[in-house]
Amino acid sequence: MPATPLRPTFSSMARVGGTGAKRRRGSWRSGILGLLLLAGCDDAPRGSRTESACQPDPLALHVEVVAADGALVRGATVVATNLDSNVSITALTNDHGVTTAIDEVLAPGPLHVVATAGSKTSSAVRVEWTCDPCHCAPVPPDLRLQLSE
C-alpha cells in the first residue's frame, strides 16, 4: 500500500506553534480590524459620499477700468449682461480700478460687459464661457475697459 502524503491540518498547525501561534492569530485578527478601520478614514472616493469634487468658489472675470489717459478708475460701474437670459450683474471697481464681481453665475451664454464713470462710457466687450462639469471660465479671463473722453 503506497504511503499517502501527510497534509497538515489547522489544528496541527496551531499545536506546532504552541502559545506563539495563538498570539500570532490574535495579532492577525487585530491587524485585519485595524485595516478595516483605516479604510474608512482615507480620502478615497466612496459612492455614498455627497461631497462634490468641484471647488465651491465660482470663477470670476477680472475687469480693469482705465481712463482715456490710461489711469485706473476707482468707483467705475461695470455691468455684465447675459445676452441669452438678459440677467446682469453690476459691480464697482476698487481702489485699483479692478472688479472681480462678475462671475460664472451669468454662465453659460455670451455676455456684454460695459463700464461707466460719470458721463464717460466704455465700448461693450463680448465675453464667452468655456464650461466643464464643475465650472465655467470666462474667455477672455481678463478685460481692460477704456472709458471714452
Side-chain angles (χ1 to χ4, degrees), residues 59-108:
L59 297 178
L61 176 65
H62 181 269
V63 181
E64 183 179 72
V65 179
V66 296
D69 63 358
L72 296 170
V73 179
R74 177 178 73 169
T77 302
V78 178
V79 178
T81 304
N82 182 304
L83 297 175
D84 293 341
S85 66
N86 207 32
V87 173
S88 64
I89 291 178
T90 301
L92 293 177
T93 57
N94 61 19
D95 290 341
H96 304 287
V98 173
T99 182
T100 56
I102 299 165
D103 60 26
E104 63 184 304
V105 171
L106 291 177

Side-chain angles (χ1 to χ4, degrees), residues 1-148:
M1 176 187 291
T4 58
L6 295 175
R7 295 184 186 188
T9 62
F10 180 74
S11 59
S12 67
M13 288 177 14
R15 279 195 306 264
V16 169
T19 58
K22 289 180 185 174
R23 214 175 304 128
R24 277 192 300 263
R25 197 173 9 184
S27 297
W28 177 80
R29 287 181 188 149
S30 297
I32 292 295
L33 179 60
L35 287 174
L36 289 173
L37 291 173
L38 279 175
C41 296
D42 68 353
D43 288 332
R46 304 263 188 267
S48 62
R49 288 191 182 182
T50 58
E51 299 172 8
S52 172
C54 301
Q55 297 297 321
D57 298 327
L59 297 178
L61 176 65
H62 181 269
V63 181
E64 183 179 72
V65 179
V66 296
D69 63 358
L72 296 170
V73 179
R74 177 178 73 169
T77 302
V78 178
V79 178
T81 304
N82 182 304
L83 297 175
D84 293 341
S85 66
N86 207 32
V87 173
S88 64
I89 291 178
T90 301
L92 293 177
T93 57
N94 61 19
D95 290 341
H96 304 287
V98 173
T99 182
T100 56
I102 299 165
D103 60 26
E104 63 184 304
V105 171
L106 291 177
L111 305 179
H112 265 172
V113 183
V114 65
T116 58
S119 62
K120 300 180 191 280
T121 304
S122 73
S123 298
V125 176
R126 186 179 175 107
V127 175
E128 300 285 339
W129 297 97
T130 300
C131 299
D132 64 27
C134 292
H135 291 288
C136 290
V139 178
D142 301 300
L143 288 182
R144 184 178 179 111
L145 301 176
Q146 183 174 347
L147 298 175
S148 63

